[in-house]
Amino acid sequence: MRKIAAVTAFLDDNHRAKITETAARCGFEVDFYHGDMLPEEKAAEYEVIFGMPKRRCLKSMTNLKWFCASFAGVDSVVDDKYYPNPDVLLTNSAGAYGTTIAEHIIMVTLMLLRRMPDFQQIVRERRWVQSLPMRSIQGSTITVLGTGDIGTNFARRAKAMGAAKIYGVRRSKKAGDPCYDAIYTHDELNEVLPKTEILVMALPSTPDTIGILSRERIALLPPEAIVVNVGRGTAIDQEALMEALNAERIAGAALDVMVPEPLPIDHPLWETKNLLLTPHISGNMSLPLTRDKDVDMFCEDLENYAAGRPLLRLVDRKRGY
Amino acid sequence: MRKIAAVTAFLDDNHRAKITETAARCGFEVDFYHGDMLPEEKAAEYEVIFGMPKRRCLKSMTNLKWFCASFAGVDSVVDDKYYPNPDVLLTNSAGAYGTTIAEHIIMVTLMLLRRMPDFQQIVRERRWVQSLPMRSIQGSTITVLGTGDIGTNFARRAKAMGAAKIYGVRRSKKAGDPCYDAIYTHDELNEVLPKTEILVMALPSTPDTIGILSRERIALLPPEAIVVNVGRGTAIDQEALMEALNAERIAGAALDVMVPEPLPIDHPLWETKNLLLTPHISGNMSLPLTRDKDVDMFCEDLENYAAGRPLLRLVDRKRGY
């Protein structure tokens, strides 16, 4: 019998039933492991692994043909060195996180524009202060760097909330979702930054995106700019961003991703001015909707895999996404 | 010369220019007072007052015919006793606050659903915890109590963010904005509450709305319910709400309005569990958009007033809104 290992803690009974049934229909048997490890002595039994296993599980899976990651940003598992052979297929779960991360971006953007951390501090001190100036998403000019599922889910919501202009920035010039007022390429980023009031970064970590928001580009942002990053911390020159925030050269930032993670207890990011930090939670498995969609996408691709059809979310391990 | 007193601190040069020009065209002269008072000895000169004056200014304005309040909730200035005569017209600025308060509601709703106060506490302690369960606006059932400009601006945004159902609750059964899946009357509130996951209250304070969310009705809410109030604190049995929150009989609340305001330093609301308090800031003059619209609406009604046409935002002082 061909075998699948499902290595993840987030599955409920419905998820397990759906995976088991789909697998049976496709001629597979499934073992469920509640956690991130599978037993060493069983590793060679599995042709397919689904979930968020510890990276070192993979190497011992000598008969592995397909790793379906239950997460979207697979930069940490693209390298051939983690695999028993270079032909192992890797798919990600891009598409499961659009809703939850878009809601995170809307929330932190409004918190920064509406001075919510300041008001929360005022309330903690039991004071009654009402006069801090606020801003609005309505009428704002927004740049979305990374126009995939996450960026576009955010952009649609921002459009519905009355954003004046939404610019999408992507690798190629091909047409984007209708919610974008214009599409720019990475090469044209320098033109867009000076007119950007809200910069949302939702990029995978690839050789092209590492350091894309460089010190020079941070300097192109206007003083009212806020920066929201939900992709990977590596996309930003973090040192330069901290300096810009502490010197109030830009208005604020919300980072859900940073370098390194977890953030060491003595790291200066914890104390950076006008910075709203969250511990990489915008897109994790906390939302039932995300978990359901993740399982649905695996089952869909399992049918494709069994039938010899192309996998829908196949990662080019050389490019990194 | 007929005279107008503009008594408010929020006007900028453009606002003053617009008011002065409109007034001149209508045969009026304007005096601007930066603050909430006008000099006693000048009070009798004015036929019209615009802004947010101290209530005691009004009584001494023996020739006052129209008070255009630059705020929406006029419950504190409806009583005849504040006026030199019962014929003084009162208009409010309902319509200027839809955007800013809707953005506030979206923000606090997401903060509660996504456990943001807990994550902020985790970050203050420099810990790295990612596993709190979250919920989403997408797929939620929302009840909007008070379907005016504010409630409906929120409902439209929530619809765009994928809410499953949005019920509007209002005095009369007349058709609401298309963003509502169904309209209920105040009398039908008890039917709607048990299926409500997010209850948004945006009501003026009137005899009909005081205490509308009673202890009995709070008990009808399901355990996952969150309550957001941006209207008036008097609409809620605050004691019963605090009990429900502290006993975790409902999931959370966000109050921008409460009784009394400002909240005394020893008030138990400050320490109520799962409660996100803000010091009545959702709709104040912090947003440029609100200030501009407020001035535009006054100028529009000034033209109506001068031409003898009905005022657009006339308050029925007996009903209270």
Side-chain angles (χ1 to χ4, degrees):
Chain A
M1 190 73 163
R2 299 163 79 182
K3 292 190 76 176
I4 298 169
V7 180
T8 170
F10 78 79
L11 301 175
D12 65 22
D13 289 345
N14 290 333
H15 298 141
R16 278 187 287 268
K18 172 154 190 178
I19 293 171
T20 304
E21 282 158 29
T22 309
R25 207 165 47 238
C26 296
F28 282 85
E29 200 174 78
V30 190
D31 289 339
F32 292 96
Y33 297 99
H34 185 88
D36 54 13
M37 289 297 290
L38 80 183
E40 188 71 34
E41 70 278 11
K42 304 264 282 176
E45 292 179 16
Y46 301 106
E47 178 180 338
V48 176
I49 185 167
F50 166 65
M52 208 185 283
K54 280 259 185 284
R55 210 157 53 183
R56 62 194 147 88
C57 292
L58 300 170
K59 195 76 183 183
S60 57
M61 301 182 77
T62 46
N63 292 302
L64 185 64
K65 293 201 173 144
W66 173 31
F67 170 26
C68 175
S70 64
F71 44 99
V74 290
D75 45 293
S76 65
V77 291
V78 287
D79 200 308
D80 278 351
K81 72 183 177 197
Y82 302 122
Y83 293 89
N85 71 69
D87 300 326
V88 173
L89 301 172
L90 172 65
T91 58
N92 70 3
S93 295
Y97 296 93
T99 296
T100 186
I101 303 188
E103 291 195 354
H104 174 90
I105 304 169
I106 293 284
M107 175 184 72
V108 294
T109 299
L110 287 173
M111 287 177 73
L112 290 172
L113 296 179
R114 298 181 66 82
R115 310 289 296 272
M116 194 57 180
D118 296 311
F119 281 118
Q120 289 176 287
Q121 182 58 32
I122 286 164
V123 166
R124 270 195 297 277
E125 296 167 3
R126 303 193 177 193
R127 293 188 297 133
W128 195 265
V129 175
Q130 306 179 295
S131 53
L132 308 179
M134 289 183 189
R135 293 159 54 192
S136 176
I137 285 180
Q138 184 166 317
S140 284
T141 299
I142 299 176
T143 297
V144 178
L145 182 48
T147 59
D149 176 53
I150 293 163
T152 301
N153 259 286
F154 161 72
R156 287 188 195 130
R157 286 161 174 80
K159 192 81 178 175
M161 294 180 76
K165 291 282 177 197
I166 306 184
Y167 303 121
V169 182
R170 55 190 296 163
R171 271 167 308 130
S172 66
K173 194 89 189 181
K174 70 179 176 188
D177 189 276
C179 67
Y180 295 109
D181 292 285
I183 291 287
Y184 293 84
T185 64
H186 287 184
D187 293 340
E188 297 166 320
L189 187 51
N190 291 5
E191 289 171 42
V192 193
L193 293 175
K195 57 184 172 183
T196 298
E197 293 171 299
I198 301 167
L199 175 63
V200 169
M201 301 176 63
L203 291 164
S205 184
T206 71
D208 286 347
T209 64
I210 290 175
I212 191 168
L213 193 66
S214 60
R215 178 176 292 273
E216 293 68 30
R217 284 179 168 151
I218 291 170
L220 293 176
L221 288 166
E224 67 272 24
I226 64 167
V227 176
V228 178
N229 189 11
V230 295
R232 283 289 180 265
T234 51
I236 299 183
D237 181 333
Q238 197 166 270
E239 200 66 40
L241 183 69
M242 286 191 284
E243 283 176 34
L245 287 166
N246 284 326
E248 300 186 42
R249 285 200 300 272
I250 61 172
L255 301 182
D256 189 50
V257 289
M258 59 218 78
V259 180
E261 294 178 25
L263 200 61
I265 198 146
D266 58 350
H267 197 284
L269 260 187
W270 295 112
E271 299 233 310
T272 299
K273 213 165 170 177
N274 297 320
L275 173 61
L276 189 53
L277 269 186
T278 45
H280 202 150
I281 46 138
S282 67
N284 66 11
M285 283 295 169
S286 315
L287 203 62
L289 196 79
T290 307
R291 300 193 288 267
D292 295 348
K293 195 152 182 189
D294 220 72
V295 168
D296 289 349
M297 294 193 322
F298 170 60
C299 290
E300 185 184 18
D301 252 354
L302 180 55
E303 308 246 23
N304 291 329
Y305 178 78
R309 290 190 297 263
L311 298 177
L312 291 177
R313 280 161 286 271
L314 192 66
V315 171
D316 179 337
R317 290 213 261 124
K318 296 280 170 291
R319 287 198 313 186
Y321 66 97
Chain B
M1 191 71 163
R2 299 164 77 182
K3 291 189 78 176
I4 298 169
V7 180
T8 171
F10 78 77
L11 302 175
D12 65 20
D13 288 346
N14 290 332
H15 297 141
R16 278 187 286 269
K18 171 153 188 178
I19 293 171
T20 305
E21 282 158 30
T22 309
R25 206 164 47 237
C26 297
F28 283 85
E29 198 174 83
V30 191
D31 289 340
F32 292 96
Y33 298 98
H34 185 89
D36 53 15
M37 289 297 289
L38 79 184
E40 188 71 34
E41 70 278 11
K42 303 262 286 176
E45 293 179 16
Y46 301 105
E47 177 179 340
V48 176
I49 185 167
F50 166 65
M52 206 184 284
K54 280 258 184 285
R55 210 156 54 182
R56 62 192 147 89
C57 290
L58 299 171
K59 195 76 181 182
S60 57
M61 302 181 77
T62 45
N63 293 301
L64 185 65
K65 293 200 174 146
W66 172 32
F67 170 25
C68 176
S70 63
F71 44 100
V74 289
D75 45 292
S76 65
V77 290
V78 287
D79 200 306
D80 277 352
K81 72 182 177 197
Y82 302 122
Y83 293 89
N85 71 70
D87 301 327
V88 173
L89 301 171
L90 172 66
T91 58
N92 70 4
S93 296
Y97 297 92
T99 295
T100 185
I101 303 188
E103 291 194 356
H104 174 89
I105 303 169
I106 292 285
M107 175 184 73
V108 294
T109 299
L110 288 172
M111 288 177 74
L112 290 172
L113 296 179
R114 299 182 64 84
R115 310 288 296 271
M116 193 58 181
D118 296 312
F119 281 118
Q120 288 176 288
Q121 182 58 31
I122 287 164
V123 166
R124 270 195 297 276
E125 295 167 3
R126 301 193 179 195
R127 295 188 297 134
W128 195 264
V129 175
Q130 304 180 296
S131 52
L132 307 180
M134 288 183 191
R135 293 159 55 194
S136 176
I137 285 180
Q138 184 164 318
S140 285
T141 298
I142 300 177
T143 297
V144 178
L145 182 47
T147 59
D149 176 53
I150 292 164
T152 301
N153 259 287
F154 162 72
R156 287 189 196 130
R157 285 161 175 79
K159 191 81 178 175
M161 293 179 75
K165 291 281 177 197
I166 306 185
Y167 304 122
V169 182
R170 55 189 295 165
R171 273 167 307 128
S172 66
K173 194 90 188 179
K174 68 178 178 188
D177 190 275
C179 67
Y180 296 108
D181 292 285
I183 291 287
Y184 293 85
T185 63
H186 287 185
D187 293 340
E188 298 166 320
L189 187 51
N190 291 6
E191 290 172 40
V192 193
L193 293 176
K195 57 184 172 183
T196 298
E197 293 171 299
I198 300 166
L199 175 63
V200 170
M201 302 176 62
L203 291 164
S205 184
T206 72
D208 287 347
T209 65
I210 289 175
I212 191 168
L213 193 67
S214 60
R215 178 175 293 273
E216 294 69 29
R217 285 180 167 149
I218 290 171
L220 294 175
L221 288 166
E224 67 272 24
I226 65 167
V227 176
V228 178
N229 189 11
V230 295
R232 281 290 179 265
T234 51
I236 300 183
D237 181 334
Q238 197 166 271
E239 201 65 40
L241 182 70
M242 285 191 284
E243 283 176 34
L245 288 166
N246 284 326
E248 299 187 42
R249 285 200 302 273
I250 61 171
L255 301 183
D256 189 50
V257 289
M258 61 218 78
V259 180
E261 293 178 24
L263 200 61
I265 199 147
D266 58 350
H267 197 284
L269 261 187
W270 294 112
E271 298 232 309
T272 299
K273 214 164 168 177
N274 298 319
L275 174 61
L276 189 53
L277 269 186
T278 44
H280 202 151
I281 47 138
S282 66
N284 65 12
M285 284 294 168
S286 316
L287 205 63
L289 197 77
T290 307
R291 300 193 288 268
D292 295 348
K293 196 153 179 187
D294 220 73
V295 168
D296 289 349
M297 294 193 321
F298 170 61
C299 289
E300 186 184 16
D301 252 354
L302 180 56
E303 308 247 20
N304 291 329
Y305 179 79
R309 291 189 297 263
L311 298 178
L312 291 177
R313 281 161 285 271
L314 191 66
V315 171
D316 179 338
R317 290 212 262 127
K318 295 282 170 289
R319 287 196 316 184
Y321 66 97

